[in-house]
Amino acid sequence: MRYSVKTISAKQAHDIRHPVLRKGKPREACMFAEDNMGTTLHIGLFANEQHIGTVTLIENLRPGFHETIQYQLRGMAVLEDFRSKGLGKLMVDEGERMLKERGAQRIWLNARIKALNFYRRLGYEICSKEFEVPIFGPHFQMTKLLQ
Ligand SMILES: CC(C)(COP(=O)(O)OP(=O)(O)OC[C@H]1O[C@@H](n2cnc3c(N)ncnc32)[C@H](O)[C@@H]1OP(=O)(O)O)[C@@H](O)C(=O)NCCC(=O)NCCS
């Protein structure tokens, strides 16, 4: 199997985001208001030609951080059959590389409890108290300096 990572459209991101993160809900439920902003970056993961993962990077300043270019990582999803192979890491690594090229200084995200260790291994640190996201349960914010 040949795995590759490249930028994709918002529509392609929804094709994976919807079944993984908003299963059973209407397709619109997986869309973000920022999906079509000019600065938003959608990244896709492919196994040969099959689209199997996505993550979206949205330029967004988080209160409390002072860097001028910050991105929020959202919509992180890998199809179940392809998890725990290091492919999520591959996609985030490539996203971080692209953000550095754009001069982004910090990345931050809202992590489900189940994903905390995944992000920890990638160098992210918790930077908030636990908070509740309705329907999706407890989350922490995590962050990493890019440069
Ligand atoms: C979170 C998610 C995107 C991670 O994707 P992934 O492709 O499984 O990520 P990786 O394979 O890089 O890492 C996952 C785990 O597999 C382990 N792993 C990596 N390569 C491995 C290998 N070759 N063999 C065995 N385990 C491996 C990693 O150590 C990691 O363990 P950890 O989560 O306990 O730290 C995926 O689980 C997912 O889509 N989950 C559902 C949606 C979700 O929760 N999204 C995040 C919302 S905040």
Side-chain angles (χ1 to χ4, degrees), residues 10-86:
K11 187 188 162 303
Q12 284 175 296
H14 300 158
D15 291 343
I16 301 293
R17 218 191 265 166
H18 183 214
V20 176
L21 294 167
R22 299 291 186 273
K23 193 175 174 188
K25 302 210 164 64
R27 187 171 165 101
E28 297 72 47
C30 82
M31 297 175 184
F32 305 144
E34 302 88 347
D35 273 340
N36 294 312
M37 265 178 13
T39 49
T40 296
L41 198 57
H42 301 286
I43 294 171
L45 169 70
F46 293 80
N48 296 332
E49 302 312 312
Q50 186 191 353
H51 185 193
I52 59 162
T54 185
V55 65
T56 294
L57 300 162
I58 296 167
E59 189 170 8
N60 192 10
L61 297 176
R62 176 191 178 275
F65 290 146
H66 304 293
E67 291 78 16
T68 48
I69 309 181
Q70 300 171 28
Y71 273 76
Q72 182 180 1
L73 182 154
R74 294 190 70 184
M76 175 79 201
V78 173
L79 295 184
E80 206 166 343
D81 287 352
F82 294 90
R83 290 183 197 156
S84 297
K85 297 175 190 294

Side-chain angles (χ1 to χ4, degrees), residues 92-129:
V92 174
D93 285 350
E94 180 60 10
E96 290 178 4
R97 194 193 62 74
M98 290 181 191
L99 290 188
K100 282 183 198 166
E101 263 182 19
R102 292 178 172 207
Q105 296 137 312
R106 184 183 282 281
I107 188 164
W108 63 275
L109 55 95
N110 297 327
R112 298 176 181 192
I113 301 274
K114 268 177 76 176
L116 284 179
N117 278 339
F118 168 72
Y119 293 117
R120 273 201 192 102
R121 281 179 206 270
L122 298 180
Y124 290 74
E125 289 177 356
I126 289 176
C127 59
S128 77
K129 292 186 179 154

